[in-house]
DNA sequence: CTAGGGTTAG
């Protein structure tokens, strides 16, 4: 605006009146005593000082040319500098090239432009040209290059500059050496950074801040905090930048006590007026899990910027409070704050968590309006959101059109397919990714392993294990956990345990996977033993751990133990129950036959029971043939969701009629099955028609005898060598008759048969089942 | 032209 007035007046009024109106600027310029007064006093020089955008610059240039000032070094250098600042290296270079007698200053300015606005390699090329042209570099020229080396992680180049500086006798220059420390830290060579730092003859606040930020950014939070104390021991007081550098580290290790003491210091110094300091405080509290304190600071801070909003919204999203995250996001839009890519990613995260497709699509439109579609990270978040909302089709379309896909994009898609049960698509996508020479990472492998686990096919599982080993990703704790889970899901529970035992580092999900594995295999004792081991270790159980252990107790009939776990969850670990925990408890009580207790448990729940709770009640009523409670549960179920009620009825009917008659070998299988049934009947098997009603008597036996699991076992026996264990997977609960029949088959055929049903594993061997007829 | 340090993110 100031420039606009000046531009207007420059064309109409004498120079002197304009110059007198900007005496402060003129004074600054006058200090540059090597510049002739007629140049620095010229109004065009003042205009350039006030210039704030490329548009204004383009308006000023004709005036400079018209006044014959274009030949003056001051103007040439200033133009090069401004073009660089506004990001146009082309125009800067055009001005630079047109200068016939270039002075050192314009070389230095051009170098700065290249180092900051172009690839660091262009910076080095220009540096070489400058040397060839006989221009001697000054110390600060190296600092431009060092910054670029740090940003691009170019250690080799950085070390060259380091050597150059030492050779030129700048080893004691605090400014240059601080740049070196920063460069090593950014290149993740924090030890090298520290070696340079300790050799400083005198340490000022800036170099301390550099090394503190270096440790913080390299994940060494404790060391960063330690250095702040050390710095204070040397009589230096942390400034806002020290605070902003160290707080993320405090948050990362969740050290609330240290965070609070820093907060106290900030308060005493009055630093909370700095928006960035308050923002860093909010971030720290959120990362330490103290959402309320973070929110209070956020609500009363002045000068909230988009980063503050982003941190707050993401804080809620990360803590699972999607509703509050989205509420805040809308408030931000209402306040007229323009979202950035980070905002959008946090909001999409919240949409995905709450499976809110409608809002997700609104944000998708917003992405286009804001012109954020070239941001690959934002597009990756959209892919994840659509996958989570079961719209893999839309996600795949976005992926197809995505320019500059990253590994994250591929991972999001693979995970999406895996989570939506599209195992084949997941594997195909993985194959395409490798064909394009994109190297998988631990995230890729976790998704692929999870997808393969779905199949419950042991040989596939072993194949993926081999693949993981070949890609050298088998050291990652999450990959190993996925493998433990996979072996358990493929029925190889002892292999799972062997892998678990071999792990030197275990995450809470690792324990959960193993406990759940024992649970679904009916090894309740092992699950309880493992939980005890966990309680004595360093890893704290979470709400999923309790879900696994309660369900393990349920599968093995350890009702009292299950009840105890449910109570210590809240009392000892302060973990609140979710709807899944209530469902697991109803299952625990109901399955063991304590149906009235289960019903009372539902009536006494502090929150409204949802579908899963009544579903468990209905299932238990069915097992124990309690029609009265079963109907009550079913009624509540239909009220909550009529469609799901239909699903349950369908489930019951399908149970009796499922078959694999489509199979090409069906005739052969049916014939074989007939002889098999005869053989097990000879061994004492009696067909149970109890579970089928409304069908004519003579058809009943035939229907039961052709249940899908019997057909599948027959298929397995026909197609594998004698003695090979047979793995069967069933998406419903195994029926009583099939269970009995399978026991007999395992005896007469001398085969180990592993059946995975909707809830658990059954290991049949020599006429008995691992579930002890309890499931 | 005339130098060095900082915050959000799968």
């Amino acid at each position: 605006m100031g420039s606009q007035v000046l531009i207007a007046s420059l064309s109409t009024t004498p120079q002197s009146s304009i110059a007198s109106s900007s005496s402060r600027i003129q004074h600054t310029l006058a200090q540059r005593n090597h510049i002739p007064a007629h140049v620095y006093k010229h109004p065009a020089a003042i205009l350039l000082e006030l210039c704030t955008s490329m548009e204004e610059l383009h308006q000023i240039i004709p005036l400079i040319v018209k006044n014959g000032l274009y030949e003056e070094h001051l103007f040439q250098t200033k133009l090069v500098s401004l073009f660089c600042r506004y990001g146009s290296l082309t125009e800067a270079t055009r001005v630079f090239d047109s200068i016939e007698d270039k002075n050192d200053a314009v070389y230095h300015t051009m170098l700065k432009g290249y180092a900051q606005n172009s690839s660091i390699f262009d910076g080095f090329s220009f540096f070489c040209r400058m040397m060839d042209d006989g221009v001697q570099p000054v110390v600060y020229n190296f600092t431009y290059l060092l910054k670029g080396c740090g940003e691009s992680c170019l250690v080799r180049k950085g070390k060259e500059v380091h050597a150059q500086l030492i050779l030129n006798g700048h080893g004691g220059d605090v400014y240059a050496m601080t740049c070196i420390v920063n460069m090593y830290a950014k290149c993740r060579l924090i030890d090298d950074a520290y070696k340079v730092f300790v050799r400083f003859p005198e340490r000022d606040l800036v170099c301390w801040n550099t090394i503190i930020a270096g440790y913080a950014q390299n994940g060494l939070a404790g060391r960063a905090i330690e250095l702040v104390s050390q710095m204070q021991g040397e009589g230096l007081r942390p400034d806002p930048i020290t605070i902003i550098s160290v707080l993320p580290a405090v948050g990362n290790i969740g050290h609330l006590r240290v965070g609070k003491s820093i907060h106290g210091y900030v308060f005493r110094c009055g630093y909370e007026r700095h928006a960035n300091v308050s923002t860093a405080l909010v971030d720290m509290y959120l990362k330490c899990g103290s959402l309320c304190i973070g929110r209070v600071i956020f609500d009363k801070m002045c000068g909230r910027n988009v980063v503050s909003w982003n941190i707050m919204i993401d804080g809620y999203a990360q803590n699972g409070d999607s509703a509050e995250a989205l509420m805040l996001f809308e408030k931000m839009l209402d306040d007229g704050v323009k979202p950035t890519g980070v905002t959008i990613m946090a909001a999409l995260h919240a949409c995905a968590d709450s499976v809110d497709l409608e809002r997700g699509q609104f944000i998708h439109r917003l992405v286009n309006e804001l012109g954020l579609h070239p941001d690959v990270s934002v597009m990756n978040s959209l892919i994840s959101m659509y996958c989570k909302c079961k719209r893999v089709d839309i996600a795949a379309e976005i992926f197809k059109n995505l320019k500059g896909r990253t590994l994250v994009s591929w991972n999001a898609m693979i995970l999406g397919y895996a989570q939506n049960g599209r195992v084949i698509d997941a594997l195909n996508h993985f194959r395409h990714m490798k064909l394009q020479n994109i190297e998988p990472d631990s995230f890729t492998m976790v998704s692929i392993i999870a997808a393969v686990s779905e199949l419950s096919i042991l040989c596939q599982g072993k194949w993926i294990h081999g693949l993981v080993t070949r890609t050298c990703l088998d050291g990652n704790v999450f990959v190993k956990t996925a493998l433990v889970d996979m072996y358990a899901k493929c029925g190889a529970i002892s292999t799972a345990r062997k892998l678990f035992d071999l792990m030197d580092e275990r995450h809470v999900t690792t324990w959960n996977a193993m406990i759940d594995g024992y649970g679904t295999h009916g090894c309740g004792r092992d699950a309880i033993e493992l939980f005890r081991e966990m309680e004595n270790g360093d890893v704290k159980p979470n709400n999923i751990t309790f879900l696994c252990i309660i369900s393990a107790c349920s599968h093995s009939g350890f009702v009292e133990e299950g009840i105890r776990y449910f109570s210590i969850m809240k009392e000892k670990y302060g973990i609140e129950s979710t709807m899944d925990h209530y469902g697991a408890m109803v299952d625990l009580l109901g399955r063991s036959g304590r149906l009235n207790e289960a019903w009372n448990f539902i009536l006494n729940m502090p929150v409204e029971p949802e579908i899963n709770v009544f579903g468990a009640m209905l299932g238990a009523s069915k097992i124990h043939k309690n029609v009265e409670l079963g109907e009550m549960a079913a009624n509540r179920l239909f009220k909550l969701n009529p469609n799901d009620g239909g699903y349950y009825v369908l489930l019951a009917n399908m149970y009796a009629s499922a078959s694999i008659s489509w199979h090409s070998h069906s005739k052969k299988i049916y014939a074989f099955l007939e002889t098999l049934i005869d053989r097990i009947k000879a061994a004492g098997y009696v067909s149970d028609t109890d579970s089928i009603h409304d069908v004519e008597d003579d058809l009943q036996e035939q229907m039961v005898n052709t249940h899908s699991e019997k057909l599948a076992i027959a298929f397995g026996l026909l197609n594998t060598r004698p003695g090979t264990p047979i793995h069967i997977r069933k998406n419903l609960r195994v029926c009583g008759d099939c269970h009995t029949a399978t026991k007999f088959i395992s005896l007469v055929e001398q085969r180990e048969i592993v059946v995975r049903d909707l809830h658990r594993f059954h290991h049949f061997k020599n006429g008995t089942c691992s579930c002890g007829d309890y499931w």
Side-chain angles (χ1 to χ4, degrees):
Chain A
M1 284 43 39
S3 308
Q4 295 296 336
V5 175
L6 279 174
I7 292 164
S9 45
L10 187 62
S11 346
T12 53
T13 53
Q15 298 170 5
S16 57
S17 69
I18 304 145
S20 62
S21 69
S22 307
S23 59
R24 191 186 54 81
I25 297 163
Q26 196 184 41
H27 177 75
T28 317
L29 294 172
Q31 287 177 333
R32 298 166 184 166
N33 49 19
H34 56 287
I35 299 167
H38 77 274
V39 174
Y40 73 72
K41 276 188 179 171
H42 194 279
I46 297 157
L47 276 177
L48 285 178
E49 286 296 314
L50 292 170
C51 178
T52 58
S53 70
M54 190 64 120
E55 288 70 37
E56 286 180 6
L57 181 56
H58 278 134
Q59 284 177 287
I60 298 165
I61 289 172
L63 300 174
I64 294 170
V65 176
K66 202 169 81 185
N67 285 282
L69 295 161
Y70 193 77
E71 299 302 313
E72 293 289 346
H73 277 136
L74 173 80
F75 286 92
Q76 291 165 338
T77 311
K78 191 74 200 175
L79 284 176
V80 170
S81 161
L82 287 172
F83 277 128
C84 289
R85 187 184 302 164
Y86 302 133
S88 176
L89 267 183
T90 336
E91 283 170 286
T93 310
R94 202 179 298 147
V95 175
F96 180 83
D97 288 341
S98 75
I99 303 168
E100 274 171 24
D101 54 333
K102 301 179 183 70
N103 64 6
D104 287 12
V106 76
Y107 270 99
H108 297 163
T109 309
M110 197 64 229
L111 176 67
K112 185 181 178 185
Y114 272 115
Q116 290 177 349
N117 292 290
S118 185
S119 127
I120 179 67
F121 295 106
D122 292 340
F124 276 105
S125 306
F126 188 84
F127 183 79
C128 293
R129 175 185 167 184
M130 188 172 100
M131 301 281 275
D132 289 345
D133 290 355
V135 176
Q136 275 308 304
V138 289
V139 197
Y140 59 79
N141 292 154
F142 294 103
T143 65
Y144 305 144
L145 296 171
L146 282 170
K147 200 161 191 169
C149 293
E151 280 163 10
S152 310
C153 239
L154 282 176
V155 192
R156 286 177 60 96
K157 281 280 173 205
K159 281 190 173 167
E160 274 176 39
V161 177
H162 189 181
Q164 276 288 321
L165 280 168
I166 304 291
L167 287 174
N168 289 328
H170 300 305
D173 186 308
V174 205
Y175 287 79
M177 287 306 116
T178 302
C179 277
I180 295 287
V181 171
N182 194 30
M183 180 273 296
Y184 282 124
K186 290 281 186 308
C187 293
R188 317 216 67 94
L189 295 173
I190 188 67
D191 292 338
D192 291 289
Y194 190 72
K195 272 182 213 151
V196 178
F197 172 79
V198 287
R199 273 195 238 113
F200 277 41
E202 260 176 63
R203 297 183 199 134
D204 65 2
L205 191 55
V206 178
C207 76
W208 274 103
N209 285 347
T210 309
I211 195 73
I212 289 166
Y215 276 110
Q217 289 161 358
N218 279 280
L220 295 159
R223 191 83 181 102
I225 295 164
E226 205 177 288
L227 282 169
V228 176
S229 310
Q230 217 173 306
M231 173 183 122
Q232 286 171 301
E234 291 192 12
L236 288 163
R237 297 191 45 79
D239 73 345
I241 291 181
T242 322
I243 306 296
I244 292 164
S245 304
V246 78
L247 274 177
V250 176
N252 283 339
I253 55 167
H255 211 319
L256 190 58
R257 199 173 49 77
V258 171
K260 280 185 173 167
S261 79
I262 294 176
H263 189 180
Y265 177 84
V266 165
F267 183 74
R268 287 193 297 278
C269 296
Y271 288 159
E272 79 264 304
R273 283 178 294 104
H274 295 254
N276 290 349
V277 172
S278 282
T279 300
L281 276 173
V282 172
D283 179 52
M284 180 276 296
Y285 278 114
L286 297 186
K287 285 214 191 98
C288 291
S290 301
L291 261 81
C292 297
I293 307 181
R295 181 60 187 264
V296 169
I297 300 172
F298 175 82
D299 280 341
K300 65 175 192 187
M301 72 183 273
C302 40
R304 248 182 259 159
N305 56 32
V306 67
V307 177
S308 328
W309 283 96
N310 290 352
I311 285 170
M312 200 63 227
I313 293 169
D314 193 61
Y316 281 118
Q318 298 275 353
N319 275 279
D321 194 344
S322 315
E324 193 58 40
L326 291 167
M327 201 122 83
L328 215 58
F329 174 65
E330 259 157 41
K331 194 162 177 287
M332 173 180 170
L333 296 179
D334 288 345
D335 280 16
V337 183
K338 194 178 159 199
T340 65
V342 178
T343 328
I344 298 294
M345 289 192 277
L348 285 173
H349 183 158
C351 292
D353 274 354
S354 53
V355 198
D356 192 340
L357 179 64
E358 210 176 306
R359 231 186 295 215
Q361 285 178 314
F362 164 76
I363 296 173
H364 191 173
R365 288 192 290 276
L366 201 61
V367 166
N368 294 328
E369 281 168 30
L370 292 164
L372 287 170
H373 48 278
D375 186 330
V376 182
S377 298
V378 168
M379 298 317 274
N380 292 344
S381 296
L382 272 174
I383 291 174
S384 298
M385 181 278 293
Y386 278 118
C387 288
K388 220 38 189 309
C389 295
K390 304 198 194 316
R391 293 304 301 266
V392 199
D393 52 327
I394 306 179
E397 193 61 27
I398 295 174
F399 180 87
K400 208 179 86 191
N401 298 320
L402 186 58
K403 302 263 179 300
R405 290 168 197 159
T406 62
L407 176 59
V408 181
S409 324
W410 287 91
N411 287 350
M413 226 32 246
I414 293 172
L415 181 66
Y417 283 128
Q419 285 176 334
N420 283 278
R422 291 171 60 168
V423 184
I424 305 299
D425 289 320
L427 289 170
N428 268 332
H429 207 72
F430 178 58
R431 198 168 50 84
H432 282 135
M433 174 181 149
K434 292 212 300 178
L435 284 173
Q436 300 202 9
N437 288 323
I438 296 165
E439 279 303 310
D441 68 356
S442 59
F443 286 83
T444 326
M445 292 328 289
V446 168
S447 302
I448 285 294
I449 296 165
V452 172
S453 307
E454 276 286 301
L455 298 171
S456 285
I457 301 171
L458 192 55
C459 63
Q460 292 272 19
K462 284 182 177 162
W463 165 76
I464 200 76
H465 193 167
L467 187 80
V468 166
T469 312
R470 285 197 297 281
T471 48
C472 299
L473 291 164
D474 53 341
N476 180 284
V477 61
F478 295 105
V479 172
K480 281 184 184 169
T481 300
L483 285 172
V484 168
D485 185 59
M486 180 204 70
Y487 277 112
K489 287 205 166 74
C490 291
I493 189 75
S494 54
T495 312
R497 181 56 195 253
K498 268 180 214 144
L499 243 130
F500 178 88
D501 286 338
L502 282 170
M503 289 173 70
D504 38 16
E505 180 202 353
R506 298 185 191 112
H507 188 256
V508 59
T509 52
T510 318
W511 291 90
N512 295 352
M514 197 63 232
I515 293 171
D516 192 53
Y518 278 136
T520 52
H521 280 82
C523 314
R525 279 274 156 251
D526 296 302
I528 288 171
E529 182 49 44
L530 199 63
F531 185 85
R532 193 171 299 144
E533 221 178 284
M534 186 183 183
E535 279 188 298
N536 294 330
D538 302 326
V539 182
K540 291 265 156 292
N542 65 8
N543 65 337
I544 306 294
T545 318
F546 282 98
L547 204 56
C548 297
I549 190 71
I550 294 169
S551 127
C553 290
S554 180
H555 282 299
S556 296
F558 298 146
V559 184
E560 293 310 322
E561 286 87 341
I563 293 172
R564 195 176 65 82
Y565 288 125
F566 183 73
S567 62
I568 66 164
M569 176 170 82
K570 179 76 210 285
E571 286 157 19
K572 192 171 163 192
Y573 292 95
I575 298 170
E576 294 294 338
S577 301
T578 69
M579 203 48 74
D580 288 334
H581 293 96
Y582 294 122
M585 284 304 287
V586 171
D587 189 65
L588 174 84
L589 294 164
R591 206 188 276 239
S592 71
R594 290 156 73 163
L595 291 167
N596 291 320
E597 272 179 75
W599 189 252
N600 278 331
F601 181 89
I602 296 178
L603 296 180
N604 289 319
M605 275 174 58
V607 290
E608 270 307 301
E610 288 174 18
I611 292 169
N612 64 320
V613 176
F614 292 115
M617 190 66 216
L618 176 62
S621 306
K622 226 179 129 190
I623 296 173
H624 296 284
K625 303 187 170 65
N626 187 324
V627 179
E628 193 194 340
L629 282 174
E631 278 177 0
M632 277 160 74
N635 279 337
R636 296 291 295 269
L637 209 53
F638 297 150
K639 252 184 227 153
L640 280 168
N641 191 340
N643 298 330
D644 263 38
Y647 173 69
Y648 274 87
V649 173
L650 188 72
L651 201 125
N653 289 337
M654 268 177 60
Y655 188 60
S657 60
S659 77
I660 52 170
S661 57
W662 45 266
H663 200 280
S664 59
H665 301 300
S666 60
K667 257 192 173 156
K668 209 171 140 197
I669 297 167
Y670 276 104
F672 177 76
L673 186 58
E674 224 166 279
T675 67
L676 186 64
I677 300 280
D678 286 344
R679 266 178 288 150
I680 61 174
K681 275 185 174 166
Y685 163 76
V686 180
S687 164
D688 169 23
T689 51
D690 186 46
S691 55
I692 299 190
H693 310 277
D694 307 326
V695 181
E696 285 173 50
D697 279 356
D698 57 331
L699 277 174
Q700 282 195 15
E701 191 178 314
Q702 194 199 331
M703 281 182 70
V704 174
N705 284 344
T706 52
H707 267 182
S708 58
E709 48 265 64
K710 290 198 191 82
L711 289 163
I713 292 168
F715 179 78
L717 287 169
L718 273 172
N719 291 287
T720 56
R721 283 201 308 275
T724 318
I726 294 169
H727 287 254
I728 305 285
R729 185 192 155 104
K730 185 172 167 56
N731 60 353
L732 299 171
R733 193 192 290 267
V734 67
C735 84
D737 182 63
C738 284
H739 194 264
T740 312
T742 311
K743 284 197 290 186
F744 278 105
I745 296 169
S746 76
L747 181 71
V748 302
E749 293 288 311
Q750 276 301 296
R751 286 279 191 122
E752 199 179 329
I753 301 166
V754 183
V755 177
R756 187 205 168 159
D757 76 1
L758 188 61
H759 297 292
R760 62 170 297 154
F761 282 95
H762 298 262
H763 290 256
F764 296 92
K765 203 175 176 182
N766 286 325
T768 60
C769 178
S770 65
C771 75
D773 297 335
Y774 183 93
W775 77 94

